[in-house]
Amino acid sequence: MSSRETDPASRRRGSRPRRSRTATVAQRDFGELRYDRGYQHVVSDDQVEALHQASLRLLETTGIEFLHPMARKILQDNGATVTGERVCLPGEMVEAMVAKAPTTFRLHSRTPGKSYQIGGNTVVNATVASAPNYVTLDGQRKTGDQAGYRDFLRLAQSLTIVHILGGFPVEPIDLHPSVRHLDAAYDAYTLTDMPFHVYSLNAHRIIDCLEMVRIARGVDYDTLQREPSIWSIVNANSPLRYDTPMLEGVLRLTELHQPVCFTPFTLAGAMAPITLAGALVQQNAEALAGITLAQAAHPGCPVIYGGFTSNVDMRSGSPAFGTPEYTKTAIVGGQLARRYGLPYRSSNVSASNAVDAQAGYESMWALWGAIGGGANIVMHGAGWMEGGLHASYEKMVIDADLLAMVATFLQPLDTSHDSLALEAIDRIGPGGHFFGDEHTQARYETEFHAPLVSDWRNWETWQEAGAPTADERANRTARSLIDNFEAPPIDSGVEAELNDFVQRRKAEGGIATDF
């Protein structure tokens, strides 16, 4: 990956040729996706209710720690019992607060027409997020840096099936933590036009990123409050604790009605009970506790129910992803989210260290759980590897193919007269073929999913082409998309205002990092 570009103003310069985002790789233009069929159920309605009631009992009797004093006061003022940092939430209070949250909301982009409904029957795909490392296109595993981060943004923007940023695809660790959010947000707003994700780790980080999204969209704060334009994921410190920086983010974001996704990270056998039912009870209780705080603080603010329960490999203690257990809990998570009428987040994940068969089948298992569960946001939709420890360009391309297959699968079957093709069948008759028929010729470029990576040539022509494997083809595709990248248009005045803000805040020292 390139190591050029050391200041925000230079990121649009450099040696990369400017061409259209699909100059070398044909892709379908995917917009907002919708479910056209029912969701999967792996437990009965009675079992969903049993999980719900057990979660309420856990919150009321055991309680959960909120380490932020203001969060405890808000909850106490709304009926909770507070003992030190432990907060016990009455079941009636939890149900009343959760009922205040909207069923759907729209997440806005700086580009008209690239805003998405979150909730209901829609699906949006987010990038891999928060990986500390990445593997270059030359196969080198590196600590995250700004050069790699920028190339992941370029690739994500080029993949039409990726809709939103789920965080930094790889953490640009070479940027100082006090100013990292400023440079990273600037890169995101100028290299992409996707809705941005801010990390809930300090009030001033939130304030800076809110100002940057306001500038990028060219709106005032009243509009920003009506039109959510930035989002964040908040993880409970499982088991049963929310820390101060995360809660500070919750209070700041919900004040302006920007959506927060509450996602406990519950690994059965490690940070949660080893039984899936017990892990789901804990996941549900932690998510409901966060949502209760958000609604108690700012009733009606948009929230997302996040599910991320998997198991560990009991031989090594390492997290396992893309397992049958993960798929099952993802589907149950969707059943719980629909019981509360809340948007649902799940994930595309894999624990594989290499872009290999394991990476492929684990991701398909994970996507089965996410889509079968009715996820409205598929987090880590493209590029997640090694249980989240590194991001991969090749995996991002392969995942884009998987997501495009899911999108094609979600399309309703067309049973119009023309699609039933009775005239074509009659015209060809017994023993013929349809390759040259006008019905085929008019549709062959649009009727089927066109893969980015899959190679359906026969053995002989595949050998003649050098016998490229899927990861090699994905590498070529990623290189082509990055090398032929063209940044989405942005008003020069907006870009200058963003840059001025970044430079001023950096000169002021950025944010404190001693939290």
Side-chain angles (χ1 to χ4, degrees):
M1 292 296 96
S2 167
S3 61
R4 70 192 188 290
E5 306 159 325
T6 57
D7 67 277
S10 72
R11 70 105 205 120
R12 289 171 68 91
R13 301 194 295 269
S15 59
R16 294 197 187 278
R18 296 294 191 86
R19 302 175 194 164
S20 70
R21 63 185 292 191
T22 55
T24 59
V25 180
Q27 297 180 77
R28 216 171 117 192
D29 188 12
F30 289 99
E32 198 171 74
L33 308 176
R34 295 184 179 274
Y35 291 99
D36 184 55
R37 52 184 58 78
Y39 309 110
Q40 288 187 306
H41 297 77
V42 296
V43 297
S44 67
D45 290 345
D46 288 344
Q47 288 175 300
V48 169
E49 193 61 24
L51 292 170
H52 168 66
Q53 293 298 333
S55 302
L56 295 186
R57 192 158 57 251
L58 177 62
L59 288 173
E60 188 161 357
T61 57
T62 303
I64 186 166
E65 288 186 348
F66 286 86
L67 304 190
H68 194 294
M70 180 57 69
R72 294 196 297 272
K73 184 178 187 308
I74 290 170
L75 292 167
Q76 187 173 38
D77 290 346
N78 282 272
T81 301
V82 177
T83 306
E85 294 177 332
R86 184 79 64 94
V87 179
C88 291
L89 303 167
E92 318 85 71
M93 174 190 172
V94 173
E95 292 183 319
M97 292 300 168
V98 171
K100 296 177 185 292
T103 300
T104 66
F105 61 91
R106 185 158 287 275
L107 187 60
H108 291 78
S109 163
R110 69 171 177 83
T111 297
K114 292 194 74 172
S115 301
Y116 303 103
Q117 176 181 295
I118 308 297
N121 68 337
T122 59
V123 192
V124 299
N125 300 314
T127 56
V128 58
S130 309
N133 308 291
Y134 70 106
V135 173
T136 71
L137 287 170
D138 296 321
Q140 178 185 1
R141 189 177 189 270
K142 293 182 64 177
T143 299
D145 54 31
Q146 189 177 25
Y149 168 70
R150 286 171 167 169
D151 274 342
F152 274 106
L153 292 180
R154 292 182 175 103
L155 184 55
Q157 174 70 18
S158 300
L159 295 168
T160 59
I161 192 63
V162 178
H163 302 102
I164 64 175
L165 296 173
F168 305 159
V170 66
E171 190 80 17
I173 294 170
D174 54 338
L175 301 176
H176 192 274
S178 63
V179 297
R180 184 180 301 162
H181 66 292
L182 296 166
D183 285 331
Y186 180 89
D187 288 343
Y189 282 127
T190 52
L191 288 171
T192 85
D193 58 0
M194 292 184 278
F196 185 63
H197 171 282
V198 61
Y199 290 101
S200 294
L201 295 172
N202 176 292
H204 292 291
R205 178 185 277 104
I206 302 293
I207 292 168
D208 283 344
C209 289
L210 284 169
E211 176 62 8
M212 291 184 74
V213 73
R214 187 201 65 76
I215 294 170
R217 288 202 58 212
V219 298
D220 57 23
Y221 277 97
D222 286 340
T223 302
L224 203 60
Q225 184 159 357
R226 293 193 305 272
E227 298 179 353
S229 304
I230 196 169
W231 74 298
S232 185
I233 294 172
V234 167
N235 301 119
N237 298 108
S238 301
L240 304 178
R241 175 180 291 163
Y242 277 98
D243 66 31
T244 300
M246 286 278 186
L247 292 173
E248 186 69 30
V250 171
L251 297 176
R252 293 285 179 172
L253 285 165
T254 56
E255 183 179 12
L256 266 181
H257 277 227
Q258 304 304 296
V260 176
C261 176
F262 292 93
T263 307
F265 184 22
T266 38
L267 289 177
M271 297 101 78
I274 196 169
T275 58
L276 293 188
L280 282 164
V281 166
Q282 184 181 311
Q283 169 193 291
N284 197 49
E286 291 173 351
L288 292 180
I291 293 165
T292 296
L293 170 64
Q295 297 306 315
H298 301 288
C301 64
V303 295
I304 304 160
Y305 180 106
F308 203 71
T309 292
S310 192
N311 54 300
V312 295
D313 179 354
M314 298 308 291
R315 297 167 299 183
S316 65
S318 299
F321 293 106
T323 62
E325 292 81 9
Y326 179 90
T327 301
K328 185 180 294 186
T329 58
I331 294 173
V332 177
Q335 291 183 250
L336 287 162
R338 286 190 296 279
R339 187 216 180 277
Y340 306 122
L342 296 173
Y344 178 47
R345 164 257 162 116
S346 189
S347 299
N348 173 17
V349 289
S350 168
S352 180
N353 296 313
V355 183
D356 57 6
Q358 178 185 341
Y361 65 67
E362 286 182 344
S363 282
M364 280 309 299
W365 267 102
L367 284 174
W368 180 11
I371 300 303
N376 303 111
I377 294 179
V378 178
M379 262 299 292
H380 308 299
W384 163 293
M385 289 288 293
E386 197 188 343
L389 292 181
H390 86 254
S392 161
Y393 298 103
E394 291 92 345
K395 184 62 162 36
M396 183 172 273
V397 171
I398 290 172
D399 283 338
D401 251 355
L402 298 181
L403 293 170
M405 292 177 186
V406 167
T408 303
F409 174 77
L410 290 175
Q411 297 300 311
L413 181 67
D414 181 3
T415 56
S416 65
H417 176 80
D418 192 51
S419 286
L420 291 173
L422 290 175
E423 288 84 357
I425 298 170
D426 181 65
R427 192 162 51 244
I428 297 302
H433 70 77
F434 291 83
F435 283 116
D437 188 73
E438 61 189 54
H439 189 268
T440 302
Q441 292 297 305
R443 295 164 180 79
Y444 75 93
E445 289 186 331
T446 59
E447 190 69 20
F448 300 137
H449 162 65
L452 292 169
V453 176
S454 297
D455 190 343
W456 295 327
R457 291 176 289 185
N458 63 30
W459 179 273
E460 289 74 20
T461 56
W462 173 65
Q463 287 286 320
E464 289 171 4
T469 57
D471 59 330
E472 292 170 341
R473 292 191 296 273
N475 183 284
R476 294 174 189 174
T477 299
R479 287 181 187 273
S480 176
L481 288 170
I482 292 172
D483 287 342
N484 291 285
F485 176 78
E486 183 175 348
I490 184 170
D491 181 85
S492 59
V494 169
E495 186 170 11
E497 188 177 357
L498 281 170
N499 187 47
D500 288 347
F501 177 82
V502 169
Q503 298 309 318
R504 175 173 65 80
R505 289 290 295 119
K506 290 172 73 172
E508 294 168 352
I511 62 170
T513 57
D514 56 347
F515 53 83

